[in-house]
Coordinates of all heavy atoms in Angstrom, one line a residue:
P9 N 173.5 72.1 84.0 CA 174.1 71.7 82.8 C 173.0 71.5 81.7 O 171.8 71.4 82.0 CB 174.7 70.5 83.2 CG 173.9 69.9 84.3 CD 173.5 71.1 85.0
D10 N 173.4 71.4 80.5 CA 172.5 71.1 79.3 C 172.5 69.6 79.0 O 171.8 69.2 78.2 CB 173.0 71.9 78.1 CG 172.9 73.4 78.4 OD1 171.8 73.9 78.4 OD2 174.0 74.0 78.4
L11 N 173.4 68.8 79.7 CA 173.5 67.4 79.6 C 174.2 66.9 80.9 O 175.3 67.4 81.3 CB 174.2 67.0 78.4 CG 174.3 65.5 78.1 CD1 173.0 64.8 78.0 CD2 175.2 65.3 76.8
L12 N 173.6 65.9 81.6 CA 174.2 65.3 82.8 C 174.4 63.9 82.6 O 173.5 63.1 82.3 CB 173.3 65.7 83.9 CG 173.8 65.0 85.3 CD1 175.1 65.6 85.7 CD2 172.7 65.4 86.4
W13 N 175.7 63.4 82.9 CA 176.0 62.0 82.9 C 176.3 61.5 84.4 O 177.1 62.2 85.0 CB 177.2 61.7 82.0 CG 177.0 62.0 80.6 CD1 177.7 63.0 79.9 CD2 176.1 61.3 79.6 NE1 177.3 63.0 78.6 CE2 176.3 62.0 78.4 CE3 175.3 60.3 79.8 CZ2 175.6 61.6 77.3 CZ3 174.6 59.9 78.7 CH2 174.8 60.5 77.4
I14 N 175.7 60.4 84.7 CA 175.9 59.8 86.1 C 176.7 58.5 85.8 O 176.1 57.6 85.2 CB 174.6 59.5 86.8 CG1 173.7 60.8 86.9 CG2 174.9 59.1 88.2 CD1 174.3 61.9 87.6
G15 N 177.9 58.4 86.4 CA 178.6 57.2 86.1 C 179.2 56.7 87.5 O 180.3 57.1 87.9
M16 N 178.6 55.8 88.1 CA 179.0 55.2 89.4 C 178.9 53.8 89.5 O 178.9 53.1 90.6 CB 178.1 55.9 90.6 CG 178.3 57.4 90.7 SD 177.4 58.0 92.1 CE 175.8 57.8 91.7
T17 N 178.6 53.1 88.4 CA 178.4 51.7 88.2 C 177.0 51.3 88.7 O 176.5 52.0 89.6 CB 179.4 50.8 88.9 OG1 179.2 50.8 90.3 CG2 180.8 51.1 88.6
A18 N 176.4 50.4 88.1 CA 175.1 49.9 88.4 C 175.2 48.9 89.6 O 176.1 48.3 89.7 CB 174.4 49.2 87.3
P19 N 174.2 49.0 90.6 CA 173.0 49.8 90.5 C 173.1 51.1 91.3 O 172.1 51.8 91.5 CB 172.0 48.8 91.3 CG 172.9 48.2 92.3 CD 174.2 47.9 91.7
K20 N 174.3 51.4 91.8 CA 174.5 52.6 92.6 C 174.0 53.9 91.9 O 173.3 54.8 92.4 CB 175.9 52.8 93.0 CG 176.1 53.9 94.0 CD 177.5 53.8 94.6 CE 178.7 53.8 93.6 NZ 180.0 53.7 94.2
Q21 N 174.4 54.0 90.6 CA 174.1 55.2 89.8 C 172.6 55.5 89.6 O 172.0 56.5 89.8 CB 174.8 55.2 88.5 CG 174.4 54.0 87.6 CD 175.4 53.9 86.5 OE1 176.5 54.5 86.4 NE2 175.0 53.0 85.5
E22 N 171.9 54.3 89.2 CA 170.5 54.5 89.0 C 169.7 54.8 90.3 O 168.8 55.5 90.4 CB 169.9 53.2 88.5 CG 170.3 52.9 87.0 CD 171.7 52.2 86.9 OE1 172.3 52.0 87.9 OE2 172.1 52.0 85.8
K23 N 170.1 54.2 91.4 CA 169.5 54.4 92.7 C 169.7 55.8 93.2 O 168.9 56.4 93.8 CB 170.0 53.4 93.8 CG 169.5 51.9 93.4 CD 170.3 50.9 94.1 CE 170.1 50.9 95.6 NZ 170.8 49.7 96.2
W24 N 170.9 56.3 93.0 CA 171.2 57.7 93.4 C 170.4 58.7 92.7 O 169.7 59.6 93.3 CB 172.7 58.0 93.2 CG 173.1 59.3 93.9 CD1 173.4 59.6 95.1 CD2 173.0 60.6 93.2 NE1 173.7 60.9 95.4 CE2 173.4 61.5 94.2 CE3 172.7 61.0 91.9 CZ2 173.4 62.9 93.9 CZ3 172.7 62.4 91.6 CH2 173.1 63.3 92.6
I25 N 170.3 58.6 91.3 CA 169.6 59.6 90.5 C 168.1 59.6 90.9 O 167.4 60.5 90.9 CB 170.0 59.5 89.1 CG1 169.4 60.7 88.3 CG2 169.5 58.3 88.5 CD1 170.1 62.1 88.7
Y26 N 167.6 58.3 91.0 CA 166.2 58.1 91.3 C 165.8 58.7 92.7 O 164.9 59.3 92.8 CB 165.9 56.6 91.2 CG 164.5 56.3 91.6 CD1 163.4 56.6 90.9 CD2 164.2 55.6 92.8 CE1 162.1 56.4 91.3 CE2 162.9 55.2 93.2 CZ 161.9 55.7 92.4 OH 160.6 55.4 92.8
S27 N 166.6 58.4 93.6 CA 166.4 59.0 95.0 C 166.6 60.5 95.1 O 165.9 61.1 95.9 CB 167.4 58.3 96.0 OG 167.2 56.9 96.0
N28 N 167.3 61.1 94.2 CA 167.5 62.5 94.3 C 166.9 63.3 93.1 O 167.1 64.5 93.1 CB 169.1 62.9 94.3 CG 169.7 62.4 95.5 OD1 169.7 63.0 96.6 ND2 170.4 61.2 95.5
W29 N 166.1 62.7 92.3 CA 165.5 63.2 91.0 C 164.7 64.5 91.4 O 164.9 65.5 90.7 CB 164.6 62.2 90.4 CG 164.1 62.6 89.1 CD1 162.8 62.9 88.7 CD2 164.9 62.8 87.8 NE1 162.8 63.2 87.3 CE2 164.1 63.2 86.8 CE3 166.3 62.8 87.6 CZ2 164.5 63.5 85.6 CZ3 166.8 63.0 86.3 CH2 165.9 63.4 85.3
Q30 N 163.8 64.4 92.5 CA 163.0 65.6 92.8 C 163.8 66.8 93.3 O 163.3 67.9 93.3 CB 161.9 65.2 93.8 CG 161.0 64.1 93.2 CD 160.3 64.4 92.0 OE1 159.9 65.6 91.7 NE2 160.1 63.5 91.0
K31 N 165.0 66.5 93.8 CA 165.9 67.6 94.3 C 166.6 68.3 93.3 O 167.2 69.3 93.5 CB 166.9 67.0 95.4 CG 166.1 66.3 96.5 CD 167.2 65.6 97.4 CE 166.6 64.7 98.5 NZ 167.5 64.0 99.2
L32 N 166.7 67.8 92.1 CA 167.6 68.3 91.0 C 166.7 69.3 90.2 O 165.7 68.9 89.5 CB 168.0 67.2 90.1 CG 169.0 66.3 90.8 CD1 169.4 65.2 89.8 CD2 170.3 67.0 91.2
N33 N 167.0 70.6 90.3 CA 166.4 71.6 89.5 C 167.1 71.9 88.2 O 167.8 72.9 88.0 CB 166.3 72.9 90.3 CG 165.5 72.7 91.6 OD1 164.5 72.0 91.7 ND2 166.1 73.2 92.7
I34 N 166.9 70.9 87.3 CA 167.7 71.0 86.0 C 166.7 70.8 84.9 O 165.5 70.5 85.1 CB 168.7 69.9 85.9 CG1 168.1 68.5 86.3 CG2 169.9 70.2 86.9 CD1 169.2 67.4 86.1
H35 N 167.1 71.1 83.7 CA 166.3 71.1 82.5 C 166.7 70.2 81.4 O 166.4 70.3 80.2 CB 166.3 72.5 81.9 CG 167.6 73.0 81.4 ND1 168.6 73.4 82.2 CD2 168.1 73.1 80.2 CE1 169.7 73.8 81.6 NE2 169.3 73.5 80.3
C36 N 167.6 69.2 81.8 CA 168.3 68.5 80.6 C 168.1 66.9 80.7 O 167.6 66.5 81.7 CB 169.8 68.8 80.8 SG 170.6 68.2 82.3
H37 N 168.6 66.3 79.7 CA 168.6 64.9 79.8 C 169.7 64.4 80.7 O 170.7 65.0 80.8 CB 169.0 64.3 78.3 CG 167.8 64.4 77.4 ND1 167.9 63.8 76.1 CD2 166.6 64.9 77.5 CE1 166.7 64.1 75.5 NE2 166.0 64.8 76.3
V38 N 169.4 63.3 81.4 CA 170.4 62.6 82.3 C 170.5 61.2 82.0 O 169.5 60.4 81.9 CB 169.8 62.8 83.8 CG1 170.8 62.2 84.7 CG2 169.6 64.3 84.2
G39 N 171.7 60.8 81.8 CA 172.0 59.3 81.4 C 172.8 58.7 82.4 O 173.8 59.2 82.9
T40 N 172.4 57.4 82.8 CA 173.3 56.6 83.7 C 174.1 55.6 82.8 O 173.5 54.8 82.2 CB 172.4 55.8 84.6 OG1 171.4 55.1 83.9 CG2 171.7 56.8 85.6
V41 N 175.4 55.8 82.8 CA 176.2 55.2 81.8 C 177.3 54.3 82.3 O 178.1 53.7 81.5 CB 176.7 56.2 80.7 CG1 175.5 56.7 79.9 CG2 177.5 57.3 81.4
G42 N 177.6 54.2 83.6 CA 178.6 53.3 84.1 C 180.0 53.4 83.5 O 180.7 54.3 83.5
A43 N 180.3 52.3 82.8 CA 181.7 52.1 82.2 C 182.0 53.1 81.1 O 183.1 53.2 80.8 CB 181.8 50.7 81.7
V44 N 181.1 53.8 80.6 CA 181.3 54.8 79.6 C 182.3 55.8 80.0 O 183.1 56.3 79.3 CB 180.0 55.5 79.1 CG1 180.3 56.8 78.3 CG2 179.1 54.5 78.3
F45 N 182.3 56.2 81.4 CA 183.3 57.1 81.9 C 184.7 56.6 81.6 O 185.7 57.4 81.2 CB 183.1 57.3 83.4 CG 182.0 58.3 83.7 CD1 180.9 58.5 82.9 CD2 182.1 59.1 84.8 CE1 179.9 59.5 83.2 CE2 181.1 60.1 85.2 CZ 180.0 60.2 84.3
D46 N 184.9 55.3 81.9 CA 186.2 54.7 81.7 C 186.6 54.6 80.2 O 187.8 54.9 79.8 CB 186.3 53.3 82.2 CG 186.1 53.3 83.7 OD1 186.6 54.1 84.3 OD2 185.5 52.4 84.3
F47 N 185.6 54.4 79.3 CA 185.9 54.4 77.9 C 186.3 55.7 77.4 O 187.3 55.9 76.6 CB 184.7 53.9 77.1 CG 184.3 52.5 77.4 CD1 182.8 52.1 77.3 CD2 185.1 51.5 77.7 CE1 182.5 50.8 77.6 CE2 184.7 50.2 78.0 CZ 183.4 49.9 77.9
Y48 N 185.5 56.8 77.9 CA 185.8 58.1 77.4 C 187.1 58.7 78.0 O 187.8 59.3 77.2 CB 184.6 59.0 78.0 CG 184.7 60.5 77.6 CD1 184.5 60.8 76.2 CD2 184.9 61.5 78.5 CE1 184.6 62.1 75.8 CE2 184.9 62.8 78.1 CZ 184.7 63.1 76.8 OH 184.8 64.4 76.3
A49 N 187.5 58.3 79.2 CA 188.7 58.7 79.7 C 189.9 58.0 79.2 O 191.1 58.3 79.3 CB 188.7 58.6 81.3

């Protein structure tokens, strides 16, 4: 993707993306945004 959002509530989302960061072959900004998914939906 050209933009990636991770929304799993803190601290799960931050820990997940940090633990898997080196495995992700992407070129974009990644934001951990939690409740934003619920606001957007």
